[in-house]
Amino acid sequence: MLHPGTSSTPAVRPTGRTTTAGTLCLLLGPALAVVLVLFAGGLVLGMLQAGGYVPGRGLSSLTVEHVGNVLLDSELLRSFGLTFYISATSTLIACLVSVLLAMALVRLAGRSRTIYFLLQLPLTVPHLVIAISVLLLLSPSGLIARLGVTVGLIDGASSFPLLVNDPLGIGILAVYVWKEIPFITFMLLAVLKNMGTELLEAGATLKATRRQRFFHITLPIIAPALGASGLIVFAFTFGAFEVPYLLGRTHPLLLPVWAYRNYSDIDLLSRPEGIAIGLLITVIIIVSIVLSHLLLGFARKRGITV
Amino acid sequence: MIRPGFARTSFSRKLHVFLSVFLIFAGPVVPVVTGQVLSWDEAVSGARGQTVDWYMWGGSPAVNAYVNGYLADEVKRRYDITLRQVPVKDIAEVVSKLVVEKQAGKDDGGSVDLMWINGENFRTCLRYGLLYGPFADVLPNQRYVDWTNPTVKNDFGTPVEGMESPWGSAQMVMVYDRARIAEPPRSVGALLEWIQAHPGRFSYPAPPDFTGSVFIRHIFYHVAGSVDRWQGDYTQAELEQAAEKTYLVLRELQPALWRGGSTYPESPVRMDTLFADGELDFSFSYHQGDASRKILDGLFPDTVRTYVFDEGTIANTHFVAIPYNAADKAAAMVVADFLLSPEAQLEKAKPGVWGDFPALSQQKLPPQWQQRFADLPRGPATLDDVELQSHQLPEPPSEILIHLEQGWEQQVLKNR
């Protein structure tokens, strides 16, 4: 029997399910305020600074000169190309491996909680830690190279292949791929678990080959989640600073490192240019997010829940 | 690790540009007002019972402990002065606060009594008349300072002229491993030859990193053939010519650098790691005792040693200054004097306390104090004060520094 004072009456009564617009605003208010003030505010400040805003002179001091300088810089295309190459390649590799891994896991591990726990572990490790680990492991004087010298596989540090601060960005790619596979796999597993085996069994009954079942049943179902998580990864790697700073080369620079370099320059005049590069990165990331959102909406229309 | 002078300098350079831009729009430049400076006796008698608010970079626990412990206790006991440390992230913030106070006409009763500054912050203060003085000549302990030493006489190219009082010094030293190299190249010219003869064994952090930047200034001094010329009047054409020669030498050097110069360490920390890992045969540091500390920490082998070039290495001095509107000028002067006393400088130089190098000239000290400084336990890699002080070159003005950093990026890094 329940006493009134200790009753476990739910805070929201079943009849009060329909929330009015007013309560919705109230509930979302604090979160929205943070987003608006910090992100939108930061964006506006960024635009002002990229425009070379000088406090004493008001809005008349705004100019597009700095943005123009960045857009006309011959380095921009090179930096953009390199950043795009790193982001696209790491996203692609991570997506491919994740699809295979998720399918293997859903078959082998089923609903095992341990597997999920293990998958979540790498998600908690910061990129910075992995970047330093890769540096310690893969540099010409790193752990693997030393092991190779000890075992007699290579003659010395100089004969070890260049894997960090290298022209192809292998070190950076390694970090991103290692970090993003668990994330994408995690997203895919959720979808694959909900999908169940019925559709596949039906396909098998209708004599679809494994290949056909993958391309006509599994892939269409996981595609939205794959696309969305892939875009999130792409957007993140496009704007991340610490990994290319540690594992990249002095020249050419990835866009985020270039932005940082300009922003922290002794010469105050290169600061607006740093911000302009930052805004450019933001634009690309926003486009990625919008695309990812459209994909999700498209999937919902087809009745697939993610 | 404590990085007294140069860490703040790189911050301050940024501020300077900010302030210059700010002041251009904020109003006309205020002329320097030099008032009557207290005599030493007036300072001591007036200091009794006063409280000194010392604004300084507060990022180092060792420095904070020295200031709040030893220094605060001693000035209380000796002069009845209460020393209060006001830790700030960047002294440049305080300088901008003073600029605003100056504009607002707040000419006395200011809350800042003493500041730990150098380089661009000092130049900014002078330019806008934010300092009290010249007071340094009045302090009795100035007799131990060698004012003819260009690294003390000029602060990053700006004549000090008694407007700030020295506190300590930082100097670039070369780092090598005795077990690998028996006799290191003892001049910049010899080092350049050594690098060419041993491809892939040398590198420097990419400027604008402060340590990498000081390396290219050594090359600049080497090719320009003169150091003093850049302290005084030089023409833009002379600078351009010497800078071009510097880039040429550095471009020629590039193929012989670590990884053929295709990339550079991003920081001195990385350069030290590469050195310890045996990828590089040299490292260098803008702190005289850094290598010893790294031996102590187990990061470097015991056989690591430091040396200075025969022609000298670049050094800078960090100072304390008194704002024009300080409320407790007398006590601030007494504290500035005590900072320079042999006992306070010796305490500061102890590796367990702070390990900062003295601003005092060893030659000017009485023999018993010279002995005490010489007896200080310094790590196996650290040179003695006499050797260091007799090989000091001044920093050039920061406009040369910026010119070289930008030129390096355009002409050395990108022109491959």
Side-chain angles (χ1 to χ4, degrees):
Chain A
M1 190 179 151
L2 292 171
H3 298 282
T6 58
S7 84
S8 55
T9 316
V12 180
R13 273 168 288 152
T15 48
R17 273 265 166 103
T18 48
T19 35
T20 61
T23 36
L24 197 69
C25 281
L26 219 67
L27 287 170
L28 287 176
L32 270 180
V34 169
V35 170
L36 276 179
V37 170
L38 293 184
F39 289 90
L43 215 58
V44 170
L45 274 181
M47 283 178 192
L48 282 177
Q49 284 196 47
Y53 176 70
V54 180
R57 285 204 304 174
L59 289 174
S60 62
S61 61
L62 284 182
T63 159
V64 291
E65 189 197 332
H66 306 292
V67 183
N69 278 348
V70 169
L71 290 177
L72 293 178
D73 196 321
S74 58
E75 291 292 313
L76 179 72
L77 212 61
R78 242 177 127 176
S79 274
F80 175 80
L82 188 67
T83 317
F84 187 83
Y85 152 75
I86 294 277
S87 293
T89 313
S90 57
T91 309
L92 221 63
I93 296 175
C95 281
L96 272 175
V97 177
S98 298
V99 169
L100 298 175
L101 190 67
M103 282 176 31
L105 280 178
V106 92
R107 201 175 317 152
L108 296 177
R111 284 163 187 274
S112 156
R113 277 174 169 257
T114 328
I115 292 292
Y116 281 84
F117 179 70
L118 284 178
L119 259 182
Q120 281 174 50
L121 273 183
L123 293 179
T124 60
V125 186
H127 280 81
L128 190 64
V129 174
I130 308 300
I132 303 251
S133 310
V134 161
L135 201 61
L136 293 176
L137 280 176
L138 297 185
S139 72
S141 52
L143 220 61
I144 293 177
R146 284 181 203 197
L147 217 68
V149 173
T150 319
V151 193
L153 274 175
I154 51 171
D155 312 327
S158 51
S159 53
F160 190 75
L162 265 192
L163 298 177
V164 297
N165 311 114
D166 57 308
L168 288 176
I170 293 170
I172 308 173
L173 288 177
V175 174
Y176 285 152
V177 168
W178 192 92
K179 263 296 283 178
E180 312 318 346
I181 285 176
F183 171 71
I184 302 177
T185 309
F186 199 68
M187 301 283 275
L188 295 184
L189 270 177
V191 181
L192 283 176
K193 258 196 332 177
N194 288 337
M195 176 178 113
T197 52
E198 294 84 354
L199 280 174
L200 292 173
E201 281 160 9
T205 323
L206 295 171
K207 296 211 165 154
T209 61
R210 279 183 72 163
R211 203 186 138 89
Q212 283 172 322
R213 272 178 278 159
F214 174 74
F215 280 107
H216 294 284
I217 301 172
T218 314
L219 197 60
I221 287 177
I222 60 169
L226 186 65
S229 50
L231 272 171
I232 291 174
V233 165
F234 179 84
F236 175 82
T237 49
F238 204 91
F241 158 78
E242 66 272 41
V243 179
Y245 176 71
L246 284 170
L247 301 177
R249 296 206 304 165
T250 318
H251 178 77
L253 292 169
L254 260 70
L255 286 177
V257 185
W258 192 22
Y260 167 80
R261 175 65 74 74
N262 268 328
Y263 189 76
S264 60
D265 200 283
I266 328 143
D267 185 2
L268 191 81
L269 294 177
S270 39
R271 204 171 242 221
E273 288 173 19
I275 302 263
I277 301 167
L279 287 177
L280 195 71
I281 298 171
T282 313
V283 168
I284 293 164
I285 290 177
I286 288 176
V287 168
S288 307
I289 290 170
V290 168
L291 264 177
S292 129
H293 207 74
L294 285 178
L295 259 170
L296 276 175
F298 176 66
R300 264 193 220 104
K301 267 190 205 148
R302 292 178 49 174
I304 301 159
T305 48
V306 182
Chain B
M1 195 61 238
I2 299 115
R3 310 179 302 161
F6 54 90
R8 290 173 302 111
T9 307
S10 59
F11 279 129
S12 64
R13 287 186 292 168
K14 269 175 245 165
L15 175 96
H16 168 71
V17 189
F18 166 74
L19 273 183
S20 316
V21 171
F22 172 72
L23 285 164
I24 288 165
F25 301 108
V29 172
V30 191
V32 183
V33 187
T34 323
Q36 194 66 41
V37 175
L38 296 172
S39 74
W40 178 244
D41 290 333
E42 286 167 347
V44 173
S45 58
R48 206 153 285 280
Q50 283 190 339
T51 298
V52 172
D53 288 301
W54 187 3
Y55 282 63
M56 61 190 285
W57 175 69
S60 161
V63 179
N64 296 350
Y66 169 69
V67 171
N68 293 315
Y70 175 82
L71 286 181
D73 292 347
E74 288 296 314
V75 295
K76 185 83 195 167
R77 191 172 62 82
R78 289 163 191 244
Y79 305 103
D80 190 26
I81 294 170
T82 308
L83 182 63
R84 205 155 55 187
Q85 184 203 25
V86 185
V88 291
K89 216 179 117 212
D90 186 350
I91 197 70
E93 296 160 11
V94 180
V95 177
S96 58
K97 177 184 139 101
L98 287 172
V99 171
V100 175
E101 286 185 358
K102 183 98 187 178
Q103 305 244 315
K106 185 179 163 70
D107 287 338
D108 44 38
S111 55
V112 186
D113 294 319
L114 200 62
M115 305 186 279
W116 183 21
I117 61 171
N118 75 348
E120 279 303 315
N121 284 321
F122 174 62
R123 185 195 288 250
T124 309
C125 286
L126 274 192
R127 202 163 144 209
Y128 302 113
L130 304 178
L131 296 181
Y132 169 76
F135 73 96
D137 326 340
V138 178
L139 311 179
N141 282 323
Q142 295 300 313
R143 62 180 182 272
Y144 304 127
V145 175
D146 179 10
W147 284 103
T148 60
N149 182 343
T151 69
V152 181
K153 195 170 87 185
N154 293 325
D155 184 355
F156 279 84
T158 307
V160 173
E161 289 170 347
M163 297 302 284
E164 54 180 359
S165 168
W167 191 24
S169 84
Q171 184 173 2
M172 192 267 215
V173 290
M174 293 296 294
V175 179
Y176 73 107
D177 188 346
R178 220 171 38 173
R180 277 189 258 162
I181 291 169
E183 195 44 52
R186 291 203 172 260
S187 68
V188 176
L191 176 68
L192 292 175
E193 280 168 25
W194 186 94
I195 296 168
Q196 294 289 5
H198 302 81
R201 305 298 299 166
F202 186 90
S203 194
Y204 52 92
D209 172 85
F210 201 70
T211 307
S213 176
V214 79
F215 177 77
I216 61 173
R217 290 200 288 283
H218 282 92
I219 306 287
F220 173 76
Y221 280 162
H222 172 72
V223 300
S226 160
V227 174
D228 298 334
R229 171 164 143 206
W230 309 108
Q231 293 295 315
D233 293 325
Y234 58 87
T235 63
Q236 194 63 24
E238 285 174 332
L239 170 59
E240 297 282 348
Q241 200 193 359
E244 287 304 320
K245 268 159 92 182
T246 309
Y247 307 140
L248 189 68
V249 168
L250 288 170
R251 272 205 301 272
E252 281 169 6
L253 201 63
Q254 210 158 24
L257 292 178
W258 175 67
R259 297 208 178 168
S262 67
T263 190
Y264 294 81
E266 74 278 355
S267 63
V269 179
R270 183 78 194 283
M271 179 170 65
D272 282 341
T273 312
L274 291 170
F275 168 67
D277 284 345
E279 279 194 63
L280 299 179
D281 281 333
F282 288 94
S283 183
F284 45 91
S285 170
Y286 211 137
H287 189 284
Q288 304 94 319
D290 191 48
S292 291
R293 173 60 62 95
K294 290 210 161 71
I295 294 176
L296 214 66
D297 291 344
L299 296 171
F300 283 173
D302 297 342
T303 43
V304 164
R305 293 292 178 271
T306 61
Y307 71 98
V308 286
F309 295 127
D310 290 338
E311 65 263 44
T313 55
I314 292 177
N316 78 69
T317 305
H318 50 99
F319 298 82
V320 291
I322 303 172
Y324 73 104
N325 64 358
D328 307 284
K329 293 192 182 81
M333 282 173 68
V334 175
V335 170
D337 180 65
F338 182 68
L339 293 181
L340 266 181
S341 65
E343 46 269 60
Q345 290 275 324
L346 183 73
E347 180 73 15
K348 178 168 72 86
K350 288 178 184 166
V353 176
W354 174 2
D356 186 44
F357 280 70
L360 307 177
S361 160
Q362 292 303 308
Q363 271 90 8
K364 295 202 160 216
L365 280 171
Q368 71 268 29
W369 277 108
Q370 283 184 28
Q371 193 54 47
R372 278 187 215 172
F373 275 98
D375 288 346
L376 268 179
R378 50 186 74 231
T382 312
L383 302 173
D384 64 61
D385 291 335
V386 177
E387 168 87 357
L388 285 168
Q389 286 178 358
S390 56
H391 291 89
Q392 287 183 339
L393 304 175
E395 281 281 6
S398 45
E399 58 186 20
I400 292 186
L401 198 139
I402 294 171
H403 188 90
L404 288 174
E405 285 177 3
Q406 287 174 345
W408 181 84
E409 189 177 335
Q410 291 304 325
Q411 308 225 17
V412 182
L413 182 65
K414 291 185 179 167
N415 187 17
R416 271 183 289 138

